Amino acid sequence: MIARLTRTVLATLIGLAMFAGPSAAQAFDEAQREEIGEIVRDYLLANPEVMIEVQEALEARQVAEEDERRREIITSAADDLFRNPSDPVLGNPAGDITVVEFFDYNCGFCRRALDDMNKLIESDPNLRFVLKEFPILGEDSNGAHQVALAFNRVMPQAYGEFHERLMMADGRANETTAMEIALELGADEQALRDEMTNPANARQVEMTYLLAEALGITGTPSYVIGTELVPGALGADLLREKIDEARECAETNC
């Protein structure tokens, strides 16, 4: 019987056997279901590579479904992601395309990706870069980010320089090193410490964590460009491709 069946028919039977719901199964009587099961079993034993194809197809479908879920979240949470007034913004504040980066000051990959951000901003005058303070690497990171959040509220015009200096500082970033850099840039220590107790800082970090959880972000750096999540320090060239795609999509309303 197997010899008389084409690969397409067998694929259909396999699909019915593996993925069909109860309503599809009810279309066959018990004898037919047993026959289909035997045909599928015999075929798979003779052609086990089909299972690899089935697994790849299933994984591709799952990836597509997850991408669609993320796009829906990005669209529904666009204000919190792209336009939270408390988030630091580098590049052109009125740029036509926004890149959102989730980062931690103690993330080695984030430090290496700093150059990617600078290259993109320098080469694209219409690029808006939003930085999401996302302390996930322990208490040192939390302390550094608390100073950074306060510094951005007190001296937003100098945040870019603060960010670069703290990101490139030797050793682990913490509250002490962040405060030293902030004071070197002219911040008032008491004003910073007062701002560090502002409940808005905790709410801002909490919102970033909620967004990261919803998007499935588990590491840094992670970027949101257009309606796509781009995880990892993948280099300026790949990020530029994603920016170009997002810009073209925005222009054509795709």
Side-chain angles (χ1 to χ4, degrees):
M1 182 176 294
I2 292 177
R4 296 199 302 270
L5 294 173
T6 67
R7 189 179 184 88
T8 300
V9 173
L10 282 164
T12 301
L13 292 175
I14 291 171
L16 287 170
M18 296 187 68
F19 303 120
S23 60
Q26 292 171 2
F28 301 98
D29 61 31
E30 184 62 29
Q32 289 172 323
R33 287 196 293 272
E34 289 182 4
E35 184 178 9
I36 289 172
E38 285 299 316
I39 292 171
V40 171
R41 178 180 179 279
D42 290 345
Y43 181 79
L44 292 178
L45 288 175
N47 302 273
E49 68 277 3
V50 171
M51 289 306 298
I52 298 175
E53 297 178 22
V54 172
Q55 182 63 29
E56 289 175 347
L58 177 59
E59 290 174 355
R61 185 168 70 181
Q62 290 172 335
V63 168
E65 290 173 350
E66 180 64 12
D67 287 345
E68 180 59 28
R69 185 190 70 83
R70 285 196 181 110
R71 281 192 289 270
E72 292 174 356
I73 291 172
I74 290 169
T75 299
S76 63
D79 285 340
D80 291 321
L81 267 171
F82 300 110
R83 294 180 288 275
N84 186 329
S86 297
D87 285 334
V89 176
L90 302 180
N92 183 350
D96 63 343
I97 290 295
T98 298
V99 173
V100 177
E101 179 185 354
F102 290 72
F103 76 99
D104 185 303
Y105 279 112
N106 284 308
C107 164
F109 292 107
C110 296
R111 293 184 176 191
R112 287 196 285 274
L114 178 65
D115 188 53
D116 297 334
M117 180 187 72
N118 289 335
K119 287 179 179 177
L120 291 169
I121 290 174
E122 290 170 5
S123 65
D124 189 339
N126 284 318
L127 183 63
R128 180 175 177 268
F129 219 101
V130 171
L131 292 169
K132 291 284 187 184
E133 306 264 358
F134 187 41
I136 58 173
L137 297 177
E139 286 303 312
D140 284 346
S141 290
N142 186 61
H145 281 277
Q146 287 302 315
V147 176
L149 288 165
F151 186 88
N152 185 56
R153 292 178 185 277
V154 173
M155 295 181 62
Q157 73 282 1
Y159 177 87
E161 185 175 356
F162 170 89
H163 175 76
E164 182 145 355
R165 288 182 60 175
L166 183 55
M167 189 66 79
M168 300 309 296
D170 293 333
R172 284 186 64 78
N174 54 34
E175 181 179 327
T176 300
T177 56
M179 184 63 71
E180 288 174 353
I181 293 170
L183 297 182
E184 289 171 3
L185 292 173
D188 179 81
E189 182 171 358
Q190 190 57 53
L192 275 180
R193 294 201 179 278
D194 289 345
E195 193 59 44
M196 287 170 66
T197 65
N198 187 337
N201 291 339
R203 290 196 297 270
Q204 186 175 349
V205 173
E206 181 181 9
M207 175 56 69
T208 299
Y209 270 89
L210 290 172
L211 289 169
E213 182 179 8
L215 293 171
I217 294 174
T218 57
T220 53
S222 288
Y223 305 88
V224 176
I225 305 174
T227 58
E228 184 176 358
L229 175 67
V230 184
L234 303 177
D237 290 343
L238 186 139
L239 292 176
R240 188 174 289 108
E241 289 178 11
K242 297 297 183 181
I243 291 167
D244 291 342
E245 290 173 5
R247 182 170 279 135
E248 181 179 355
C249 189
E251 292 173 352
T252 59
N253 198 27
C254 66

